[in-house]
Amino acid sequence: MAMLPRPFDIAALVELLSDAPIVTILGARQVGKTTLARALAPHFPEVHHFDLEDPEDLARLAVPKQALSPLRGLIVIDEVQRQPELFPLLRVLADRIEPGARFLLLGSASLDLVRGASESLAGRVAFMELGGFGLADVGVESSQTLWLRGGLPRAFLARDDASSYRWRGDYIQSVLERDLPALGLRLPADAMRRFWTMLAHYHGQAWNGSELGRAMGVPDAKVRQHLDVLVGTFLVRRLEPWFTNDAKRVVKSPKVYVADTGLLHRLLQLRTHADLTAHPKVGASWEGFCIEAIARRLGARRDELWTWGLHSGAELDLFAKRGTQRLGFEVKLTDAPRVTPSMRSALAALKLDRLYVVHAGAHSFPMEDGIQALALSRLLVDLEPW
Ligand SMILES: Nc1ncnc2c1ncn2[C@@H]1O[C@H](COP(=O)(O)OP(=O)(O)O)[C@@H](O)[C@H]1O
Ligand SMILES: [Mg+2]
């Protein structure tokens, strides 16, 4: 399979590594973390790679302090969630490290899921979240394939739709049977699969834990825990609700999205474009696809993105806020977007600098004061990164 270079991610990573003694790349399984780390080799005089899922590498790290302290150059510790015991040592090494030695940690679970990680590394670590391929990697001319198959490199680059579909099935299985249990989370694989599949049916909707709990026959708290696991392993995006002044009228549920549309489509058993366009979730799927694309284009962290809605009906798919910048996005799978009263309410209530109506047509154009139609095909041209 051909390699797709990821120059933007490499540049971002090199910059982070020039500032911080420890950089952590977090992202779902198979998004390309290890491959990206290996692509850094030309930027460092020497590179040491330890994969904590490889028994030989584990043996080399049997006495971690002895193994790690003399090393210089780039020291990569892969699948770091496997050994949270290493974090206190890394912290010590980071504090006394000589210039010229850098740690790059790769992990497929957020640090909240890994016991003790956040505390030991606080303040010393720069983070980068890596997703699969995005529009900038594959080019907008491939956006239909990216939408159907998703951005996991192997799924996107597969020979044809059928083999991509098969690969995604195997991926889901190995996450359920191998990766989640390896995090020490005792969750039965079949219950977790049912839950993930139900989430696919809720994709783009307000999260209703009690309803899912009833459907699965488990308590709300358990359902919440399942959700935290899928969010923490970057498989599901949860948009928390933004509270405006009229808190009583604000819808308080988060919205959930299966983060990768390829996995969404596999869970919904949509094999082809024809399957996808005939399915009732096609609009929600496209919405999730656009939200990922926007998040990536802006360079927004997860905690900079929100959803917003009022019980009276006004709502906004995505509210992106950094410092004083406030952008709104409403996603419509149409090529003739129109301004709605709900958009005007969102513009005013959230004091947006601008509201973009992201649509499937060919052109971006102003619609009215503060509201702009943004063609997804023009996203990389018409939306400025933060
Ligand atoms: N930029 C890329 N171009 C082509 N294939 C890639 C790219 N990045 C990753 N892959 C392939 O995707 C798979 C997963 O990549 P890997 O780096 O192992 O992911 P991770 O470390 O996040 O689990 C591997 O088979 C790898 O060869
Ligand atoms: Mg890896």
Side-chain angles (χ1 to χ4, degrees), residues 1-6 27-36 78-79 106 108 130 133 152-154 157 167:
M1 237 177 286
M3 262 327 261
L4 220 76
R6 305 182 86 172
R29 284 272 166 180
Q30 300 272 338
V31 292
K33 299 179 295 295
T34 302
T35 305
L36 191 61
D78 206 340
E79 301 296 353
L106 313 182
S108 27
L130 188 69
F133 293 154
L152 293 169
R154 302 280 304 269
L157 295 169
W167 186 87

Side-chain angles (χ1 to χ4, degrees), residues 132-205:
F133 293 154
L135 285 175
D137 301 307
V138 305
V140 283
E141 65 285 358
S142 300
S143 69
Q144 292 292 310
T145 306
L146 186 65
W147 179 25
L148 179 68
R149 299 183 181 184
L152 293 169
R154 302 280 304 269
F156 176 81
L157 295 169
R159 177 166 23 90
D160 49 34
D161 289 348
S163 53
S164 170
Y165 185 83
R166 263 196 311 279
W167 186 87
R168 283 175 274 141
D170 294 344
Y171 176 89
I172 289 170
Q173 182 142 350
S174 78
V175 166
L176 291 170
E177 291 177 359
R178 207 194 61 152
D179 302 336
L180 298 183
L183 283 169
L185 307 161
R186 245 173 281 137
L187 305 166
D190 45 341
M192 206 59 199
R193 174 189 293 273
R194 268 209 307 144
F195 176 70
W196 202 353
T197 307
M198 284 175 70
L199 272 191
H201 289 277
Y202 272 80
H203 182 89
Q205 290 180 32

Side-chain angles (χ1 to χ4, degrees), residues 123-322:
R124 290 169 177 80
V125 189
F127 287 97
M128 168 169 172
E129 250 185 51
L130 188 69
F133 293 154
L135 285 175
D137 301 307
V138 305
V140 283
E141 65 285 358
S142 300
S143 69
Q144 292 292 310
T145 306
L146 186 65
W147 179 25
L148 179 68
R149 299 183 181 184
L152 293 169
R154 302 280 304 269
F156 176 81
L157 295 169
R159 177 166 23 90
D160 49 34
D161 289 348
S163 53
S164 170
Y165 185 83
R166 263 196 311 279
W167 186 87
R168 283 175 274 141
D170 294 344
Y171 176 89
I172 289 170
Q173 182 142 350
S174 78
V175 166
L176 291 170
E177 291 177 359
R178 207 194 61 152
D179 302 336
L180 298 183
L183 283 169
L185 307 161
R186 245 173 281 137
L187 305 166
D190 45 341
M192 206 59 199
R193 174 189 293 273
R194 268 209 307 144
F195 176 70
W196 202 353
T197 307
M198 284 175 70
L199 272 191
H201 289 277
Y202 272 80
H203 182 89
Q205 290 180 32
W207 162 254
N208 184 335
S210 337
E211 193 177 313
L212 264 90
R214 270 197 307 281
M216 289 189 60
V218 297
D220 289 12
K222 195 82 192 166
V223 170
R224 165 71 59 174
Q225 188 198 356
H226 287 7
L227 180 64
D228 287 344
V229 167
L230 291 181
V231 171
T233 46
F234 307 95
L235 296 164
V236 166
R237 181 185 285 277
R238 172 173 50 200
L239 292 179
E240 298 292 346
W242 179 261
F243 289 88
T244 34
N245 290 335
D246 41 2
K248 266 192 282 192
R249 298 167 55 217
V250 173
V251 177
K252 296 183 182 62
S253 326
K255 271 172 126 189
V256 289
Y257 295 85
V258 176
D260 180 82
T261 50
L263 297 183
L264 171 73
H265 299 153
R266 181 60 189 82
L267 292 164
L268 296 173
Q269 305 187 4
L270 307 176
R271 293 161 187 269
T272 62
H273 267 287
D275 293 347
L276 172 55
T277 46
H279 195 272
K281 295 243 69 140
V282 62
S285 167
W286 201 70
E287 181 181 317
F289 182 62
C290 292
I291 287 174
E292 292 304 318
I294 293 161
R296 199 175 295 223
R297 174 63 179 166
L298 289 176
R301 293 189 316 264
R302 290 198 201 192
D303 60 358
E304 294 173 322
L305 301 174
W306 311 80
T307 183
W308 176 82
L310 296 181
H311 291 298
S312 55
E315 57 175 13
L316 183 69
D317 292 330
L318 184 68
F319 173 43
K321 181 176 179 305
R322 175 176 289 181

Side-chain angles (χ1 to χ4, degrees), residues 326-381:
R326 305 165 78 100
L327 299 177
F329 298 87
E330 186 63 19
V331 180
K332 299 281 181 223
L333 181 50
T334 168
D335 40 24
R338 281 196 303 212
V339 174
T340 62
S342 164
M343 293 174 192
R344 296 190 189 106
S345 306
L347 186 68
L350 294 165
K351 301 185 179 62
L352 300 176
D353 301 320
R354 178 164 292 178
L355 188 155
Y356 291 99
V357 186
V358 181
H359 65 94
H363 304 289
S364 301
F365 52 92
M367 300 179 85
E368 57 178 61
D369 224 15
I371 306 185
Q372 168 99 22
L374 173 63
L376 182 68
S377 59
R378 306 258 323 156
L379 182 81
L380 304 179
V381 183

